[in-house]
Amino acid sequence: MFKLRKQLLIGMTALSFAAMGMAAHAQTDAGGPGRHVPTPEQQAKFAEKMAKRQAKLHDDLKITSAQETAWQTFIGKIKPVRPTDMPQRPNKEEWAKQTAPERLDHRMEFLKHAETRLAERTAAVKEFYAVLTPVQQKVFDDHFKQMEQHRFGGHRGGHRDAPDAAK
């Protein structure tokens, strides 16, 4: 049971990073190093896919009326948004002028913000997971595993003690 919860947290972590990346990518100013701003159509398509996945999970979990508030709270907490206190990404010219320590400082600041957001999302998953029945937890775990495998191609880069890591 512990390994299953550990895998769930690892998977939610991966999903959180993916969602944060999409949100940050969608809101990045043009001219950032190696970045482009998605079109409104691309942003709408991403939002539509996210809404469909959430609706499917809601249906598959068979959320009861007593759990609906917890579901809405969970969805609100995991919604990908770019924090307002995120450090500004330098443009190509500024990035090229930075020294190696300056670049690493910039990356460290970004990772600190990402870690804070990940901790918030992990807490949201734990809070929601606790209100699910064991059957619902299994469904949640299965959905999460599928998302993880789709997003990251299985356990590539995963933990060596994970059951499927030998594949």
Side-chain angles (χ1 to χ4, degrees):
M1 186 66 160
F2 176 74
K3 282 188 176 185
L4 185 61
R5 287 187 181 186
K6 181 178 173 183
Q7 288 177 341
L8 172 67
L9 290 176
I10 291 168
M12 282 305 290
T13 300
L15 178 64
S16 297
F17 275 121
M20 281 187 335
M22 288 298 290
H25 181 73
Q27 296 176 12
T28 300
D29 292 334
R35 299 285 184 176
H36 74 280
V37 178
T39 66
E41 293 81 17
Q42 289 170 323
Q43 292 177 24
K45 186 176 180 181
F46 173 75
E48 182 182 333
K49 283 183 179 181
M50 181 73 82
K52 283 182 181 178
R53 278 185 241 135
Q54 289 173 353
K56 180 172 176 19
L57 179 59
H58 182 277
D59 293 346
D60 289 352
L61 287 172
K62 298 181 175 111
I63 297 295
T64 66
S65 57
Q67 296 170 319
E68 190 62 38
T69 300
W71 169 262
Q72 293 300 326
T73 301
F74 169 67
I75 292 301
K77 287 181 177 182
I78 66 162
K79 186 177 183 179
V81 294
R82 184 179 174 105
T84 56
D85 60 342
M86 194 71 143
Q88 185 65 26
R89 186 180 291 267
N91 65 31
K92 279 184 177 182
E93 293 78 30
E94 291 168 344
W95 187 257
K97 292 177 187 175
Q98 286 186 346
T99 64
E102 290 171 333
R103 288 179 182 199
L104 290 171
D105 284 343
H106 188 82
R107 288 180 180 158
M108 182 67 76
E109 193 63 29
F110 175 81
L111 289 173
K112 285 178 186 176
H113 282 85
E115 182 179 20
T116 299
R117 180 70 177 139
L118 178 57
E120 293 168 356
R121 294 173 78 81
T122 300
V125 168
K126 288 179 178 181
E127 183 181 321
F128 177 65
Y129 198 81
V131 303
L132 299 176
T133 67
V135 172
Q136 288 172 314
Q137 289 176 348
K138 171 96 173 80
V139 171
F140 191 93
D141 293 341
D142 290 344
H143 268 261
F144 195 81
K145 184 186 269 187
Q146 289 173 1
M147 286 188 303
E148 185 180 43
Q149 288 173 343
H150 175 73
R151 173 76 175 119
F152 298 104
H155 289 281
R156 180 182 53 190
H159 295 281
R160 289 189 175 154
D161 62 345
D164 297 336
K167 288 184 179 179

